[in-house]
C-alpha cells in the first residue's frame, strides 16, 4: 500500500525561432505500508528538477539536450543528462537518435520487505544506473497510416532483481553486476474510419 503526496510544476518558453525551453520541478512524499510484508509506515521523499531545450537549427535538424537532477532522502543526489537529434528527411520521413543516462532508486518494498515465507528486501541496495541509446525512423504513408522502426540498446549497472534461485530457501532482493538489453521495435499504425 503506497500513499503519495506531492506537487509538480512545469513551464515552457519560446526564446526565439531556435530555442524552446521546458523546465519543471517535482516533489513527492511516499508513505509505504505492507503489513503482510513486515514493514509499516516507511517514509521517503524525492525532489526532481529538469530542463530541456528544443533547438530548431533549420527545417531539417532539431537537437534536444536535457538535464535532470534528482535528490532522494535515502540515496542522495544524482544528475542525469540526455541528448536527442531528429532529422526530417522530407515531409513524411523522420530519422532520430537519442542517448540518455538512467537512474532508479530502490522502492520501499525492495528495501524493507520482510516475510519468512515470501522473501526479504535488502536495506543495502544501491540505485540502478545506466544508459540507453535509440536510433530509428518514422514514415507516414498518408494521413491514416504510418510505420515506425527503432533499435535500442540499454546497459544497467547494479540492476535490482529478486534472487529466487533453487538453492536458497527464501528469495531476496539484490543488486546484479550489470544487465544488457538490446532489441528492435516495429509498429504500423492504421486509422480506420467507421463513419463511411
Amino acid at each position: 500500500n503506497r500513499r503519495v503526496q506531492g506537487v509538480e510544476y512545469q513551464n515552457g518558453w519560446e526564446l526565439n525561432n531556435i530555442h524552446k525551453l521546458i523546465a519543471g520541478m517535482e516533489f513527492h512524499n511516499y508513505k509505504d505500508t505492507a503489513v503482510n510484508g513486515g514493514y509499516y509506515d516507511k517514509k521517503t521523499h524525492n525532489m526532481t528538477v529538469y530542463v530541456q531545450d528544443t533547438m530548431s537549427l533549420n527545417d531539417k535538424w532539431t537537437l534536444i539536450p536535457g538535464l535532470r537532477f534528482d535528490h532522494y532522502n535515502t540515496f542522495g543526489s544524482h544528475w542525469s543528462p540526455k541528448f536527442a537529434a531528429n532529422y526530417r528527411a522530407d515531409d513524411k520521413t523522420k530519422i532520430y537518435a537519442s542517448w540518455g543516462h538512467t537512474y532508479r532508486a530502490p522502492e520501499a518494498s525492495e528495501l524493507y520487505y520482510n516475510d519468512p515465507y515470501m522473501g526479504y528486501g535488502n536495506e543495502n541496495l544501491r540505485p540502478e544506473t545506466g544508459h540507453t541509446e535509440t536510433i530509428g525512423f518514422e514514415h507516414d504513408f498518408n494521413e491514416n497510416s504510418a510505420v515506425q522502426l527503432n533499435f535500442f540498446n540499454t546497459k544497467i549497472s547494479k540492476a535490482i532483481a529478486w534472487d529466487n534461485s533453487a538453492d536458497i530457501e527464501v528469495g531476496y532482493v539484490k543488486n546484479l553486476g550489470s544487465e544488457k538489453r538490446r532489441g528492435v521495435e516495429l509498429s504500423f499504425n492504421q486509422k480506420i474510419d467507421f463513419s463511411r
Side-chain angles (χ1 to χ4, degrees):
N1 184 19
R2 166 170 277 197
R3 181 180 177 186
V4 182
Q5 294 178 317
V7 61
E8 299 180 8
Y9 172 79
Q10 179 177 292
N11 206 343
W13 302 268
E14 187 168 346
L15 302 182
N16 48 43
N17 292 332
I18 297 177
H19 297 278
K20 293 181 181 178
L21 284 180
I22 295 176
M25 63 86 61
E26 302 174 6
F27 181 83
H28 294 103
N29 268 319
Y30 300 95
K31 184 177 180 181
D32 291 270
T33 299
V35 176
N36 294 332
Y39 63 93
Y40 187 76
D41 284 353
K42 292 293 185 179
K43 297 177 182 178
T44 57
H45 66 261
N46 74 286
M47 179 189 70
T48 301
V49 179
Y50 58 89
V51 62
Q52 175 180 291
D53 184 10
T54 300
M55 304 166 59
S56 300
L57 303 184
N58 52 44
D59 292 340
K60 293 187 177 292
W61 283 100
T62 304
L63 303 181
I64 310 171
L67 186 63
R68 176 186 174 109
F69 171 78
D70 289 285
H71 177 77
Y72 295 81
N73 68 311
T74 48
F75 295 100
S77 302
H78 190 82
W79 295 90
S80 299
K82 68 175 185 177
F83 183 80
N86 298 328
Y87 176 72
R88 178 67 68 177
D90 54 46
D91 291 342
K92 295 185 176 182
T93 305
K94 181 175 76 173
I95 301 169
Y96 56 88
S98 66
W99 175 90
H101 191 274
T102 61
Y103 180 86
R104 185 179 84 82
E107 297 180 1
S109 60
E110 296 166 329
L111 293 167
Y112 307 118
Y113 197 87
N114 186 355
D115 187 305
Y117 301 103
M118 300 301 293
Y120 296 96
N122 181 354
E123 294 189 40
N124 295 316
L125 286 176
R126 303 306 306 154
E128 294 181 346
T129 59
H131 56 84
T132 298
E133 300 93 25
T134 302
I135 186 169
F137 85 97
E138 298 176 8
H139 180 74
D140 298 326
F141 296 105
N142 51 53
E143 61 181 14
N144 294 319
S145 60
V147 64
Q148 182 176 359
L149 174 68
N150 70 69
F151 304 85
F152 66 88
N153 177 64
T154 300
K155 183 177 181 180
I156 302 294
S157 298
K158 305 184 194 75
I160 299 170
W162 279 87
D163 187 343
N164 293 307
S165 304
D167 59 341
I168 60 175
E169 293 184 11
V170 181
Y172 66 98
V173 186
K174 68 177 184 179
N175 286 111
L176 304 177
S178 63
E179 183 177 286
K180 293 182 180 180
R181 303 171 193 150
R182 293 187 179 95
V184 179
E185 295 177 341
L186 174 65
S187 63
F188 179 79
N189 299 313
Q190 177 68 53
K191 294 180 183 178
I192 300 176
D193 188 354
F194 291 101
S195 63
R196 295 181 180 178

